[in-house]
Amino acid sequence: MSRVELKMPKMGESISEATILNWLKNVGDTVEEDETILEVATDKVDSEVPSPCDGIITELLFQSNDVVEVGKVIAVIDADDDSGSSEKKSQSEGKELSNNNVNVKPQSSIKSKVKPDIKSDFKIQNTGDNDGFLSPLVISIAQKENLTIEEVQSISGTGDGGRIRKSDVMLYLKHRKYPLPSRPQPTAPKPSYNAPPISYIEGKDRIVEMDRMRTMIADHMVYSKHTSPHVTSYIEVDVTNMVNWRNKMKLEFLEKHGEKLTFTPIFIEAVSKAIQEYPMINVSVDGKKIVVHKDINVGMATALPSGNLIVPVVRNADEKDLLGLAQRVNHLANNARNNALKPDEIGGSTFTISNVGTFGSLMGTPIINQPEVAILALGIIKKRPEVITTDSGDEIAIRSMMYLSLSFDHRVVDGFLGGSFLRKVGDELEAFDSNREI
């Protein structure tokens, strides 16, 4: 038998860690190559991790609900000697960790290393709630650098739900001039306001537990409102030319390219052009620094069959023509409807759109998708009489009108930038070429 290390796999370029949801095998169980050993979660997508070889599981190094960095050894398998290429592949993948003498232990072992004077202060949870969660890695770094719990809690977390990550701690250490003195801190006063109790009638009202995704969405929304001072601007646009062109060309587009032509790729095209003119809307805030993203990755808020919301991403939208955008939008929408989105299809967005008009809403005030600084809501397209200016003067005509609303982070986006960007999107849609070729 040969010892094979199973590592937390990489499931997307922007994903650095995953949560173990459930072990499907126990120590001593026999497994076959490609047989699922455990289920993991990254942000909003659950994935199965298969066995790299035939063999017997000898160690499980983490527990359910543990958050594990990509590349960490999570289990050890005694592989059959005839497992061949799978064994060699696994050994080569784990070579870097083995050569660096990485010694991964269960979370219970890490807990026991917490210093007695701060052990009760560090909140280590085994639940899906990220509020106050400190990973074993963060705790280890805090101990090594003699950080107090107050210092750790003062660090702004960039992880899901505001959770503090290794990179956040390292950035804090880089700029820390001196450690805070280790002394008792005054107890924060209790809030004078108490949330009113929720009453319900036993046997009549129904209690529904939030699933993991809904809990994460709720945490993310609250985090966004606490992080970014939201401002929302509105404009109304005349999209008659765009609507007429799309209605006229959609069948020909389908016959020629085999793709449905919805309004979404047209919206993304307009947003991409506006971002190129106003790149400071395509940024993230990192403490006192503004990260200006070169890539224009447009997320599109999409409803899942469960009713939850997810944001698949059209990467490098500015580099795609309308056909390319339509292909990508249709692919992501189909995967979302079938619960088949991959981890790298939902991460890395730099700007998000939300088509609230799909549900009949006239307009919306969307919450920013952190760590972005703006989100665009697209209202329903409605026909109504409008006064337009022609060569003959003012006339009343039936036009297709819609509202656009932009919520932006007032820390870094002022009214001029937000309003100018929004107006540019509107101008792109109103100036749509009704004679455009496909």
Side-chain angles (χ1 to χ4, degrees):
M1 304 285 278
S2 301
R3 187 176 187 271
V4 174
E5 296 176 338
L6 174 64
K7 300 189 298 182
M8 179 64 74
K10 185 174 179 61
M11 290 167 282
E13 64 178 68
S14 62
I15 296 172
S16 60
E17 60 189 15
T19 302
I20 295 177
L21 293 179
N22 184 37
W23 286 102
L24 303 179
K25 296 291 182 180
N26 298 311
V27 172
D29 286 352
T30 300
V31 293
E32 298 179 355
E33 183 177 353
D34 294 330
E35 183 179 3
T36 301
I37 293 181
L38 73 157
E39 298 171 330
V40 300
T42 58
D43 193 7
K44 300 173 184 176
V45 173
D46 298 347
S47 303
E48 296 179 345
V49 179
S51 173
C53 60
D54 298 341
I56 299 174
I57 297 178
T58 58
E59 293 181 70
L60 299 180
L61 302 179
F62 291 94
Q63 303 170 6
S64 296
N65 296 317
D66 284 353
V67 179
V68 185
E69 288 188 326
V70 168
K72 286 277 190 179
V73 180
I74 55 178
V76 177
I77 303 171
D78 274 352
D80 293 342
D81 290 335
D82 60 353
S83 58
S85 60
S86 296
E87 176 187 336
K88 293 178 182 178
K89 178 181 178 182
S90 179
Q91 289 175 338
S92 66
E93 289 177 343
K95 185 175 182 181
E96 181 180 349
L97 289 178
S98 299
N99 290 342
N100 289 329
N101 296 318
V102 173
N103 183 20
V104 182
K105 295 183 178 181
Q107 186 172 350
S108 57
S109 300
I110 298 175
K111 283 184 183 179
S112 65
K113 289 186 176 182
V114 179
K115 293 180 179 179
D117 59 336
I118 62 173
K119 181 176 181 180
S120 61
D121 289 330
F122 279 101
K123 186 179 180 184
I124 304 175
Q125 298 172 334
N126 282 323
T127 70
D129 187 350
N130 288 325
D131 183 22
F133 181 94
L134 295 177
S135 70
L137 179 61
V138 168
I139 294 173
S140 176
I141 297 173
Q143 291 178 274
K144 182 179 179 181
E145 300 294 337
N146 293 317
L147 295 178
T148 66
I149 182 62
E150 289 78 18
E151 285 185 278
V152 175
Q153 291 176 336
S154 71
I155 298 173
S156 297
T158 60
D160 186 57
R163 187 164 54 80
I164 299 172
R165 305 175 65 173
K166 175 185 175 182
S167 58
D168 301 323
V169 180
M170 300 310 293
L171 180 64
Y172 172 81
L173 290 171
K174 180 180 178 181
H175 297 287
R176 185 179 67 146
K177 296 181 179 179
Y178 54 85
L180 293 175
S182 178
R183 62 176 182 271
Q185 298 294 316
T187 303
K190 293 183 178 181
S192 57
Y193 174 78
N194 294 320
I198 300 175
S199 60
Y200 66 95
I201 302 174
E202 191 77 36
K204 183 176 182 181
D205 297 329
R206 186 164 58 97
I207 305 298
V208 178
E209 293 288 341
M210 288 189 185
D211 59 21
R212 186 180 60 83
M213 182 179 292
R214 176 49 56 185
T215 300
M216 294 173 70
I217 292 172
D219 291 343
H220 194 59
M221 294 298 98
V222 172
Y223 169 72
S224 183
K225 293 293 284 188
H226 278 297
T227 300
S228 300
H230 282 55
V231 176
T232 306
S233 292
Y234 306 85
I235 62 170
E236 187 179 26
V237 295
D238 184 339
V239 292
T240 304
N241 289 343
M242 179 194 78
V243 171
N244 290 343
W245 179 86
R246 182 260 178 181
N247 291 341
K248 180 179 68 174
M249 303 300 294
K250 61 182 181 180
L251 290 179
E252 183 179 340
F253 195 89
L254 179 61
E255 292 173 359
K256 183 176 181 179
H257 302 297
E259 295 287 346
K260 291 183 178 180
L261 179 60
T262 64
F263 288 118
T264 301
I266 301 176
F267 294 147
I268 293 178
E269 181 182 57
V271 166
S272 299
K273 290 179 179 179
I275 290 176
Q276 291 177 68
E277 185 161 332
Y278 297 97
M280 292 306 293
I281 210 79
N282 196 51
V283 305
S284 297
V285 180
D286 183 9
K288 300 299 182 181
K289 299 178 182 178
I290 300 174
V291 180
V292 183
H293 301 292
K294 182 178 179 181
D295 293 339
I296 298 176
N297 300 332
V298 181
M300 52 182 206
T302 306
L304 293 171
S306 63
N308 289 324
L309 206 63
I310 201 165
V311 185
V313 182
V314 178
R315 298 182 180 277
N316 302 115
D318 55 317
E319 299 176 3
K320 294 177 172 62
D321 59 13
L322 189 60
L323 173 59
L325 291 173
Q327 290 172 332
R328 194 59 185 163
V329 166
N330 292 339
H331 168 80
L332 293 172
N334 288 334
N335 278 4
R337 282 192 291 268
N338 296 317
N339 287 316
L341 284 168
K342 299 177 181 178
D344 60 358
E345 291 178 331
I346 62 167
S349 61
T350 58
F351 185 92
T352 296
I353 65 172
S354 179
N355 192 351
V356 298
T358 302
F359 313 108
S361 296
L362 189 65
M363 63 180 72
T365 55
I367 297 177
I368 297 167
N369 183 23
Q370 298 291 334
E372 299 162 21
V373 299
I375 181 172
L376 178 70
L378 303 140
I380 190 173
I381 299 173
K382 298 194 71 170
K383 288 184 178 181
R384 64 170 181 265
E386 288 289 320
V387 176
I388 62 173
T389 301
T390 68
D391 294 338
S392 303
D394 291 343
E395 296 180 359
I396 296 178
I398 303 299
R399 310 294 291 179
S400 293
M401 308 296 294
M402 72 180 298
Y403 285 101
L404 305 181
S405 50
L406 181 77
S407 292
F408 53 89
D409 186 340
H410 215 340
R411 293 178 300 170
V412 293
V413 181
D414 292 325
F416 175 78
L417 174 58
S420 299
F421 170 80
L422 183 59
R423 185 63 261 172
K424 177 61 177 176
V425 176
D427 290 344
E428 289 290 335
L429 295 176
E430 288 190 331
F432 192 89
D433 183 4
S434 59
N435 298 313
R436 183 173 181 173
E437 297 291 334
I438 61 170

